[in-house]
Amino acid sequence: EIVLTQSPGTLSLSPGERATLSCRASQSVSSSYLAWYQQKPGQAPWLLIYGASSRATGIPDRFSGSGSGTDFTLTISRLEPEDFAVYYCQQYGSSPTTFGQGTKVEIK
Amino acid sequence: EVQLLESGGGLVQPGGSLRLSCVASGFTFSSYAMSWVRQAPGKGLEWVSIISAAGSNTDYADSVKGRFTISRDKSKNTLYLQMSSLRAEDTAVYYCAKDAGNWKRYFDYWGQGTLVIVSS
């Protein structure tokens, strides 16, 4: 199965700053079938990005995804207070679908 | 508005069984594959099982294969997960997740989850 490694484990930033989250796959993710989710404490995950770079319905344009092959990035251009959360990447190009271990974006 | 409401979680002894349910509303249930995804306390997400829109195809994570069975009832708009031979490592919040299509295998809506604790 494809192992996804997210870095850094924790990102400490201030509101208004730019956040760059990395997701690296142990082998190439076919057709850029890579998604990103946001999860806040006590809540279910929420889809942000699919197909590596397509924003899900209702997701603000400060969230963007990029990458292909084995290296993918989620960028939050300017952090809003509600963006402090844990972010997971997921590959769905190979079975079984797998998730990264998460990156926590915390307030500095 | 899409809603997914899980139930059936609780405390169960090792080796025991439990059936989870997920009632769906706000979309055409029979048109979408559905999955179960779990999250152990303080840990990340782990996909558990998927069932196709018509219910004719299923798949399981190796960690649950042979012990868990996924099913769906179109007339009740309900997804199920029958869990047996439960182990301590099955302790987690179990989320019902709507597939973005039929077997796309990424998830555009999630329920709030139901907690399963396997302990003696």
Side-chain angles (χ1 to χ4, degrees):
Chain A
E1 70 178 45
I2 294 179
V3 176
L4 299 179
T5 302
Q6 293 186 240
S7 62
T10 301
L11 201 49
S12 298
L13 295 168
S14 300
E17 290 193 294
R18 181 184 188 91
T20 303
L21 288 67
S22 173
C23 177
R24 179 162 290 177
S26 60
Q27 53 190 282
S28 184
V29 177
S30 62
S31 305
S32 294
Y33 284 163
L34 194 287
W36 291 92
Y37 300 86
Q38 177 193 74
Q39 186 178 34
K40 297 179 181 179
Q43 297 185 18
W46 191 259
L47 178 66
L48 299 174
I49 301 286
Y50 63 94
S53 61
S54 298
R55 271 187 299 276
T57 303
I59 301 303
D61 60 8
R62 66 178 180 273
F63 291 92
S64 63
S66 62
S68 64
T70 61
D71 290 299
F72 298 87
T73 300
L74 175 70
T75 301
I76 311 171
S77 58
R78 287 178 55 86
L79 282 164
E80 298 287 341
E82 62 268 27
D83 299 337
F84 292 92
V86 179
Y87 293 84
Y88 294 95
C89 59
Q90 176 213 6
Q91 69 78 23
Y92 52 97
S94 298
S95 184
T97 180
T98 51
F99 292 88
Q101 83 281 14
T103 289
K104 181 180 182 181
V105 178
E106 66 175 21
I107 299 177
K108 187 174 180 180
Chain B
E1 178 192 6
V2 172
Q3 292 193 3
L4 300 168
L5 185 61
E6 302 97 334
S7 62
L11 176 63
V12 60
Q13 291 189 337
S17 298
L18 210 56
R19 188 177 82 156
L20 306 183
S21 301
C22 171
V23 178
S25 61
F27 65 101
T28 304
F29 182 67
S30 58
S31 295
Y32 293 89
M34 297 292 293
S35 279
W36 289 97
V37 179
R38 68 184 181 184
Q39 186 169 36
K43 302 297 184 182
L45 301 168
E46 179 189 16
W47 170 77
V48 172
S49 183
I50 186 172
I51 186 167
S52 63
S56 52
N57 293 300
T58 61
D59 196 14
Y60 299 89
D62 286 345
S63 58
V64 307
K65 202 169 289 184
R67 301 188 298 123
F68 289 11
T69 302
I70 192 171
S71 62
R72 64 192 297 163
D73 185 334
K74 183 175 70 172
S75 68
K76 295 181 179 179
N77 277 8
T78 301
L79 174 72
Y80 301 101
L81 185 67
Q82 178 68 47
M83 306 185 294
S84 60
S85 302
L86 283 162
R87 307 166 180 166
E89 54 265 34
D90 295 319
T91 294
V93 173
Y94 284 74
Y95 294 104
C96 163
K98 173 184 169 293
D99 197 277
N102 188 17
W103 214 272
K104 287 187 181 293
R105 296 178 299 163
Y106 69 96
F107 315 115
D108 55 1
Y109 291 94
W110 300 60
Q112 283 305 298
T114 187
L115 176 61
V116 173
I117 300 173
V118 183
S119 175
S120 55

